[in-house]
Amino acid sequence: MTIAAASLLGDEGPIAAALGSGYESRAEQLRMAALVEEAFEHRSHLLVEAGTGVGKSFAYLVPALVRAATRHETVVVATNTIALQEQLVAKDIPMLQAALGELGKCKAVLVKGRGNYVSIRRLKLASQRQDRLLADAATRRSLHQIEDWAYDTEDGTLSTLPVLERPGVWDKVQSDHANCMGRRCPHYNECFYQNARREMEGARLLICNHALFFSDLALRMRGTGFLPEYQHVVLDEAHGVEDVASEHFGVSLSEGRVMHLLGTLYHQKTGKGYLAQLELATGDIAPIERAVSLVRAAESASRALFDDVARLVESGGAPGGWIRRPDAVANPLTVAMNELVLSLKRIKDLVQQESDRYELTAYIQRACDIADAAEVLVGQTLEGYVYWAEARDPDAGRFGTRVTLACSPIEVGGMLREHLFGKDHSTVLTSATLSTRRVREDEPLEHQETAFHHTITRLGCEGAKTVQLGSPFDYASQVELFVDTSVPSPGKGRSADGETFEDAIASRVHDHVIATDGGAFVLFTSFALLNRTADRLGPALMAMGMDVFVHGRSGSRGQILEDFRRSERGVLFGAASFWQGVDVRGAALRNVIITRLPFDPPDRPVVEARGERIRERGGDPFRDDALPRAVIRFKQGFGRLIRSGEDRGRVVVLDPRIVTTGYGRAFLAAVPAGVPVRRLPDSEGLRDESIPF
């Protein structure tokens, strides 16, 4: 490369010229760009933790664009959130390409999974057969919504589809490899998915999400795949890589998935469904009647399997859902689905229309997948995996409602070591949270690397270069950390003054929200506590004119965020995904309240299995796994507050363990340097006029 990426990003470079007087280069960004460039050049691996405000996306996009344009190499950039993908494709990449000219001249495309695209052929087929295919009026109304949208959509993907009354109808119109007619399809030239595939041909910069990347990687492990060959990979928001990889290397089977397929084939109550509208060339309906009877048998087998799993858990045979031994329940589902597959294959040979042969191919494949998944999950045929059962709807009474069986590898490091980091391409992982502590500038290199030890061992990227870049923000003047030590531990009864844990959480959250007049994220590790606290505080906060948003109740995650950004005095009660990947700049967010240190529940099967594996090797599960994971999540939650140089506010921790236990020092060590810490013995005096809001 004749021109260094850092120089392109510098004050005298073309990007500064394009952006004008408001542009200011950042030393951390220039260093990161040079490191990414070096990794590309040597086909090596890099872990770079770059604090908020560094400009990570420019730091890897500039080397990626130049590499693609000048060396004609393919770079895959995978992010965890849709918001970042859309920002890269719609804003960052076009702007950088315009600024770089010939140095950035390459084809860049957004890559989405096939199931995101509507199939024009299947949509028309469903519309023609809707009276016998669709079970009720609500489903038909949803189909009509899709038809109206399909006339106007430009890309034919779910990203622009309106909310449907019956989302399940999408299954009947989405693009599916198993029933794709390819060039034989009358709509091949106008097909949204095929057009997207053609766009990807010759593209040198591919933007996708983690799920698609690891779906492709899982397929590559079996000798196939759908992404083109690439020379470089950039995984942004890489703190979530282990969880996404684990999910895609695992197997799951839900009661809902089985019943949805069977109900699509034949709906028992209405007598409608795919089989009900078929016509055979022979005019003989016996094969269809046989298939319908096998659908009924498969439904009975499904209920038997999932009811047995529910009883196993409820009886204590699988504590916490962890099923430790194979064949703990009988598996009638695999046999029933395989018999249904044979029946559908016979029908496939008898149907009149070619389109039906393709539809049946897809249904056959899905039934085979269910049969295989049930065999794997009940027989526990994958070694090194943990197997468990869970209820998707925790409010639905008995455990057996909407049961899911699942398994995932106890460790993904070995798989990633072989199939990602062991291949002949560079891999760059970047995030604001990859390490478990601050690195001092005067530390020896070998000591600095220990800050990344947990990420390296969990991902299997031993030998990768590790760098921690600070943030250009002045945290010492922008944020103050409050630690309230007066909150009693959960499950310990009442405090000396008669206050329970939940009473204390509600009281302190109320006081801290009032102290900043709203503008608060209240982060929970439990939806149960979140809902109870929101129920207690919501009416009072709304009576004071504050807008209250509750995760899981107030709309989609994206809609909640948009509404919160527009509110000057909003209060958002969030869990799980609101700890990370959320960007609210300005005065709308001036208070982040962390109700508990974010440890994984210790009785989760995956957590327990990891702990046992670590203990077998002579390690300590808490020190080696639970604590570093919690510290990284804590850093994510803390990082929600300061997103620009103008942001100001407070982070409040309502868990006294951060200052009363030895391991609490690990959390404090992860706080940006210079941030003042105020320890509160009680909830008095929170209206601190010295903190600007």
Side-chain angles (χ1 to χ4, degrees):
M1 188 181 298
T2 57
I3 301 179
S7 67
L8 297 173
L9 285 161
D11 289 331
E12 305 301 321
I15 295 169
L19 292 179
S21 58
Y23 181 81
E24 182 179 344
S25 66
R26 285 155 279 186
E28 298 90 352
Q29 185 184 65
L30 301 184
R31 188 179 177 206
M32 179 174 169
L35 290 166
V36 173
E37 191 173 53
E38 179 184 284
F40 287 174
E41 181 66 26
H42 298 291
R43 298 284 180 94
S44 59
H45 307 309
L46 169 69
L47 274 68
V48 54
E49 179 178 275
T52 307
V54 165
K56 293 188 293 295
S57 54
F58 277 28
Y60 61 71
L61 284 176
V62 170
L65 285 166
V66 174
R67 194 86 190 175
T70 61
R71 303 291 185 89
H72 307 295
E73 294 174 349
T74 301
V75 185
V76 175
V77 174
T79 77
N80 195 41
T81 60
I82 294 173
L84 182 53
Q85 292 166 55
E86 292 175 344
Q87 175 187 314
L88 297 182
V89 172
K91 180 181 176 184
D92 293 351
I93 291 173
M95 190 282 295
L96 290 174
Q97 287 184 314
L100 294 172
E102 290 297 315
L103 285 174
K105 191 175 181 179
C106 68
K107 189 176 181 180
V109 298
L110 176 64
V111 183
K112 297 183 180 182
R114 184 165 197 155
N116 284 278
Y117 292 88
V118 67
S119 164
I120 299 172
R121 178 185 65 81
R122 296 193 73 209
L123 177 60
K124 289 188 173 183
L125 189 65
S127 180
Q128 293 166 4
R129 301 178 176 183
Q130 59 183 289
D131 289 339
R132 299 186 67 188
L133 184 67
L134 305 181
D136 54 46
T139 306
R140 289 190 288 275
R141 286 195 297 270
S142 294
L143 177 66
H144 299 157
Q145 276 185 276
I146 296 175
E147 289 180 295
D148 293 342
W149 161 80
Y151 282 111
D152 297 324
T153 180
E154 294 183 359
D155 68 352
T157 73
L158 283 168
S159 62
T160 59
L161 181 67
V163 177
L164 301 176
E165 188 177 359
R166 291 285 192 271
V169 75
W170 177 257
D171 176 68
K172 297 173 177 58
V173 302
Q174 70 180 22
S175 180
D176 186 327
H177 74 92
N179 59 32
C180 177
M181 298 178 69
R183 294 184 181 276
R184 297 172 62 88
C185 177
H187 303 285
Y188 179 79
N189 291 328
E190 56 186 315
C191 174
F192 291 111
Y193 175 72
Q194 295 296 344
N195 286 337
R197 293 292 298 179
R198 286 188 283 270
E199 274 294 299
M200 193 169 71
E201 294 174 5
R204 291 299 182 184
L205 182 57
L206 308 176
I207 310 299
C208 65
N209 62 19
H210 287 177
L212 185 143
F213 179 80
F214 284 104
S215 292
D216 176 77
L217 192 62
L219 289 172
R220 287 171 185 255
M221 291 164 59
R222 299 193 290 270
T224 180
F226 48 83
L227 287 175
E229 289 302 311
Y230 45 79
Q231 287 72 51
H232 311 285
V233 177
V234 178
L235 298 175
D236 200 348
E237 303 176 304
H239 54 275
V241 159
E242 182 187 3
D243 290 340
V244 179
S246 180
E247 179 182 348
H248 284 85
F249 295 161
V251 178
S252 70
L253 181 63
S254 70
E255 194 171 10
R257 171 183 164 192
V258 179
M259 300 308 285
H260 178 73
L261 172 62
L262 297 175
T264 298
L265 289 171
Y266 187 79
H267 194 276
Q268 304 292 349
K269 290 184 178 179
T270 64
K272 296 184 178 182
Y274 180 75
L275 293 173
Q277 50 82 50
L278 272 181
E279 295 181 2
L280 304 185
T282 60
D284 183 9
I285 65 170
I288 294 177
E289 291 177 338
R290 168 66 175 162
V292 168
S293 70
L294 290 173
V295 167
R296 293 193 183 100
E299 287 181 347
S300 297
S302 176
R303 281 192 293 271
L305 169 61
F306 288 108
D307 283 351
D308 281 352
V309 171
R311 282 190 287 270
L312 177 70
V313 176
E314 291 170 344
S315 67
W322 187 359
I323 304 175
R324 288 177 172 265
R325 60 184 176 88
D327 301 312
V329 296
N331 174 22
L333 184 58
T334 293
V335 172
M337 295 304 289
N338 282 336
E339 289 180 352
L340 178 59
V341 164
L342 292 176
S343 180
L344 294 177
K345 285 181 176 178
R346 294 189 188 101
I347 292 174
K348 179 183 171 183
D349 294 333
L350 299 173
V351 292
Q352 292 180 316
Q353 298 186 34
E354 185 180 32
S355 60
D356 281 317
R357 285 194 287 276
Y358 283 95
E359 288 293 303
L360 282 161
T361 297
Y363 289 129
I364 289 166
Q365 182 61 59
R366 289 164 65 182
C368 284
D369 290 344
I370 288 172
D372 293 345
E375 185 171 15
V376 167
L377 291 165
V378 175
Q380 299 192 358
T381 59
L382 298 175
E383 293 185 6
Y385 278 61
V386 56
Y387 296 79
W388 72 91
E390 63 184 15
R392 287 294 186 191
D393 185 355
D395 299 321
R398 74 178 183 90
F399 183 92
T401 302
R402 299 183 187 176
V403 173
T404 294
L405 275 172
C407 73
S408 67
I410 298 172
E411 298 174 321
V412 299
M415 297 176 176
L416 295 179
R417 186 180 298 112
E418 178 181 357
H419 298 285
L420 178 62
F421 299 106
K423 300 299 182 180
D424 184 29
H425 57 69
S426 66
T427 307
V428 175
L429 290 88
T430 184
S431 168
T433 54
L434 291 176
S435 69
T436 54
R437 62 175 177 83
R438 291 191 308 271
V439 172
R440 301 191 313 273
E441 292 184 5
D442 59 348
E443 276 190 81
L445 181 61
E446 59 272 19
H447 289 177
Q448 294 182 27
E449 291 176 348
T450 63
F452 292 85
H453 176 74
H454 181 262
T455 297
I456 289 172
T457 54
R458 295 308 305 173
L459 298 184
C461 52
E462 294 83 1
K465 185 171 184 175
T466 61
V467 179
Q468 186 184 82
L469 302 175
S471 170
F473 299 152
D474 183 9
Y475 282 94
S477 65
Q478 290 182 253
V479 61
E480 190 165 9
L481 174 62
F482 289 77
V483 178
D484 194 325
T485 62
S486 66
V487 177
S489 298
K492 298 295 184 181
R494 296 179 181 272
S495 64
D497 58 1
E499 190 176 43
T500 67
F501 167 71
E502 290 194 9
D503 290 339
I505 290 294
S507 171
R508 306 308 185 271
V509 168
H510 174 273
D511 289 347
H512 282 285
V513 166
I514 297 300
T516 58
D517 193 31
F521 269 15
V522 189
L523 300 178
F524 293 83
T525 59
S526 157
F527 271 102
L529 180 60
L530 180 156
N531 288 322
R532 288 194 291 269
T533 306
D535 288 342
R536 292 178 67 166
L537 298 183
L541 296 176
M542 288 188 287
M544 288 183 277
M546 297 184 192
D547 297 314
V548 175
F549 308 98
V550 182
H551 188 180
R553 297 187 194 174
S554 303
S556 68
R557 181 175 182 265
Q559 187 60 55
I560 290 174
L561 279 175
E562 284 303 310
D563 292 343
F564 182 88
R565 289 188 183 105
R566 288 194 292 266
S567 175
E568 295 181 358
R569 302 172 65 224
V571 182
L572 190 156
F573 294 85
S577 60
F578 279 99
W579 284 75
Q580 59 185 343
V582 176
D583 193 350
V584 179
R585 302 187 180 201
L589 179 60
R590 48 194 179 269
N591 188 355
V592 171
I593 302 172
I594 295 173
T595 56
R596 294 288 287 169
L597 296 177
F599 287 100
D600 279 328
D603 59 348
R604 279 181 54 201
V606 173
V607 176
E608 284 194 82
R610 278 200 310 256
E612 288 188 3
R613 181 66 60 87
I614 292 168
R615 199 175 289 112
E616 289 169 1
R617 295 171 178 165
D620 181 289
F622 180 80
R623 179 197 64 208
D624 300 339
D625 191 60
L627 181 58
R629 286 178 187 277
V631 169
I632 289 174
R633 283 199 201 96
F634 174 79
K635 290 173 64 177
Q636 281 287 327
F638 190 102
R640 294 314 94 210
L641 182 65
I642 303 300
R643 311 302 296 176
S644 75
E646 289 71 43
D647 291 349
R648 298 288 187 276
R650 64 171 66 184
V651 174
V652 180
V653 178
L654 301 181
D655 192 330
R657 292 177 295 176
I658 195 171
V659 292
T660 61
T661 64
Y663 62 79
R665 290 193 295 269
F667 294 92
L668 293 176
V671 173
V675 170
V677 180
R678 291 190 59 194
R679 177 169 174 164
L680 300 172
D682 51 47
S683 59
E684 296 299 319
L686 296 182
R687 293 178 179 83
D688 189 335
E689 299 302 328
S690 68
I691 304 174
F693 294 113

